[in-house]
Amino acid sequence: MASFGKFRWISRRITTQSSAPLRICVVGSGPAGFYTAEKILKAHEKVEVDIIDRLPTPFGLVRSGVAPDHPETKIVTNQFSRVAQNERCSFFGNVCLGSSITLPELREMYNAVVLAYGAESDRSLGIPGEELAGIYAAREFVWWYNGHPDCRNLDPDLKSTDTAVIFGQGNVALDVARILLRPTAELARTDIASHALAALEESSIRKVYLVGRRGPVQAACTAKELREVLGIKDLHIHIQPADLVTTPADEIEMKNNRIRRRVYELLSKAVTPVHAPHPGRRELHFVFFRKPDKFLESNDRSGHLGGVQLEKTILKGDDELVKQVAVGTGVYEEISCGLSLKSIGYKSIAIDGLPFDSYKGIVPNIGGRVFADASKDHMQYETGLYVCGWLKRGPTGIVATNLYCAEETLACISDDIGKGVLTSNSPKPGRDGLLQLLDSRNTRVVTFDAWEKIDAEEKRRGNLKNKPREKLTTWEELLKV
Amino acid sequence: MFLSRFYRLGAHTIKSLVKAPTLTPRTSYLPVVHNQYLRVLRHEVFSSTAAKLDSEDGNEEKEKINVTFVDKDGEDIHIKVPLGMSMLEAAHENDIDLEGACEGSLACSTCHVIVMDVDHYKTNYQIQQMRKTIFLCVHYVKIFCRSRLGCQIIAKPELEGLRLAIPAATRNFAVDGFKPKPH
């Protein structure tokens, strides 16, 4: 079938291309989606791109993941807005892949579909007690303070405990720790959601533990973020000196990785001298070589978290010494706490009609081209289906990483356009077809103009409170504007 | 000597001015004619500013320096950059494909450029200082000893003849030996 098709395409290429523009749909309006759209528009003059997102607001994690005290990272939305305002590009919010429209329907309507919907679920620890109240995924907590409508009513209890335990030592864990410990006067001037600010102002949390299975050399955070959290005013840092001792295997790891070495150096110099501890003092404890064994129920409140039990670990290297792995030692200890956040990694969600690798949590792909299960010898690619961003690479990297990811996916798309793989006999319905279908299903589509109204309203409200913006945080408010 | 001290003072002042959020937005969607008009306008604004703050020598020739960008395909692009403008801005003014996601606020590494000639690399301490910043920002891109952030290189007379290469985007996806696992 492939060779027959190829002859057809070659003959088609000899005659000039039909003037029907190619129509591509990008699912997800975060950095991966927008960078891909931008690059497609720039590389191909006759392509129209439609970006859909299940939220009425665009920009994905730039809006709902980047911490409120990191406004410079959000400046990239200016560039994204210019892409959306391009006449060959449209944004349609409040369109959910799976419920508003199915993947096969989208693939019928467009020449190509690029999936860039990221990772909206979490890895779980898989230990007893994980269902107790007071335990949240860091993703939910971040969505809560960033005003994501899905977590508007998370309502974490910050008043009945003075201790929070965070599992994970990556940049997200640091973000969450920083928001919990930063003086609220500083947060009041950011675009943090007001319901979160109110809760934080009444918070009694003074001690935060950042718990990692391995040592300071393996901590996943980066130097810039670590420096920031260590520099918080009036914050006391606690690290066990024994944890800072390095092994020869650690030295090798640091030699090969400059970032690791910097992080280790920062941690080793971070401990503040201990004066007499006084209640109400804010403390940040870096706990290394501990893995969670189980969550303990509180004695005072049934069904609620009271503490965590941790098991000490030691590191064992692989043969090739690429990565050292934590192994339990059978020695346990407890930390009592009322709030626990799991920052151990995000996970993507599978949808109907999409090949999915549930072990890795990504869509199987090569360079961005999706393939179905490669059980046969010949690689069977899904025509016109691509991925970009976290759905392609797994939940790692920074905003700028998506730039390179989008370039790679674009290369595959351009290649396929050139070979005529994406052209069809009749022009695809694209935008009009999509809007017609959604209309028949009574879906309220939010265009980019409508988002700009939401944007203006948020900035106006923010102006009244001396904040860059006051986010609208419920579905009703967002759809009403 | 005296002259160079004035230049450095001027450049320092200009640098602190440019750091304020007054950067020109990317003009890649505007027609070329408009772009050229903007460039002429800009030149006027900057040359008067530069003349005021920079050398008191009265030497008007040095309002702009020659800079060459080498794009991803290896093509040379010669442009003139007014003193005080960052290389990122200059690239955008001339429709050169250089990303600037955070618009010069040191929050990303997308304006990564590589300084190609040894003389400029050695003599200009200002460029050398930017090395620190790129390490803070760059996580997933291979960096070279002459890598710099384009938004932090500000045009100064000493940089006359500067050659900057724009690294290819898809290669060198990993840094420090980390290899992305094949999917």
Side-chain angles (χ1 to χ4, degrees), chain A residues 35 38-39 41-42 72-73 75-79 82-83 86 171 222-225 227 256-259 262 360 362-367 371 392-394 396-401 403-405 407-408 411, chain B residues 24-29 72 92 97-112 131-132 135-141 143 167-173 175-178 180-183:
Chain A
Y35 275 133
E38 186 184 27
K39 288 177 189 298
L41 288 171
K42 224 185 335 179
E72 337 73 45
T73 317
I75 293 181
V76 75
T77 56
N78 295 342
Q79 189 178 346
R82 286 192 285 275
V83 176
N86 185 314
N171 287 339
T222 50
K224 183 176 174 216
E225 285 74 14
R227 213 174 271 127
N256 294 334
N257 191 324
R258 201 180 276 117
I259 297 173
R262 288 227 157 170
K360 288 191 194 138
I362 58 171
V363 172
N365 72 90
I366 293 192
F371 63 86
K392 169 182 168 195
R393 300 178 281 113
T396 56
I398 56 175
V399 174
T401 317
L403 196 61
Y404 307 105
C405 193
E407 280 276 350
E408 196 186 36
Chain B
T24 318
R26 190 133 186 220
T27 52
S28 34
Y29 296 116
K72 300 171 202 187
H92 288 176
D97 201 4
L98 188 63
E99 290 282 340
C102 74
E103 294 175 6
S105 61
L106 284 183
C108 74
S109 56
T110 52
C111 64
H112 177 205
R131 214 168 124 63
K132 240 188 334 181
F135 275 121
L136 295 178
C137 292
V138 175
H139 302 294
Y140 284 86
V141 176
I143 42 182
T170 44
R171 283 182 316 159
N172 301 328
F173 197 86
V175 71
D176 291 328
F178 166 75
K181 301 196 188 80
H183 300 300

Side-chain angles (χ1 to χ4, degrees), chain A residues 11 40 43 52 67 86 105 313 335 368 370-371 380 432 443 466:
Chain A
S11 63
I40 292 175
I52 65 174
N86 185 314
E105 285 172 338
T313 66
I335 304 181
V370 178
F371 63 86
Q380 190 74 352
D432 299 323
T443 312
N466 222 353

Side-chain angles (χ1 to χ4, degrees), chain A residues 15-32:
Chain A
T15 61
T16 41
Q17 265 183 25
S18 62
S19 50
L22 277 183
R23 299 191 161 103
I24 300 185
C25 183
V26 175
V27 179
S29 64

Side-chain angles (χ1 to χ4, degrees), chain A residues 242-294:
Chain A
D243 288 343
L244 292 170
V245 173
T246 57
T247 63
D250 286 339
E251 293 294 326
I252 295 176
E253 240 183 283
M254 284 201 285
K255 202 162 70 120
N256 294 334
N257 191 324
R258 201 180 276 117
I259 297 173
R260 294 271 148 274
R261 183 159 25 114
R262 288 227 157 170
V263 167
Y264 172 76
E265 284 170 3
L266 279 172
L267 286 169
S268 46
K269 295 189 214 141
V271 185
T272 43
V274 182
H275 304 299
H278 60 87
R281 182 181 75 167
R282 291 174 189 237
E283 301 174 359
L284 179 63
H285 298 248
F286 283 89
V287 176
F288 298 104
F289 305 107
R290 300 288 184 278
K291 71 176 192 176
D293 186 61
K294 56 173 169 251

Side-chain angles (χ1 to χ4, degrees), chain A residues 30-86:
Chain A
F34 265 106
Y35 275 133
T36 308
E38 186 184 27
K39 288 177 189 298
I40 292 175
L41 288 171
K42 224 185 335 179
H44 300 276
E45 280 177 5
K46 292 194 106 198
V47 178
E48 288 175 7
V49 179
D50 292 340
I51 305 176
I52 65 174
D53 196 294
R54 94 178 157 87
L55 288 185
T57 57
F59 311 135
L61 282 176
V62 178
R63 175 178 163 96
S64 64
V66 175
D69 51 356
H70 287 170
E72 337 73 45
T73 317
K74 304 193 197 193
I75 293 181
V76 75
T77 56
N78 295 342
Q79 189 178 346
F80 295 163
S81 297
R82 286 192 285 275
V83 176
Q85 286 157 354
N86 185 314

Side-chain angles (χ1 to χ4, degrees), chain A residues 418-434:
Chain A
K419 291 193 194 138
V421 171
L422 298 180
T423 15
S424 59
N425 297 329
S426 51
K428 297 280 188 173
R431 199 169 297 169
D432 299 323
L434 177 68

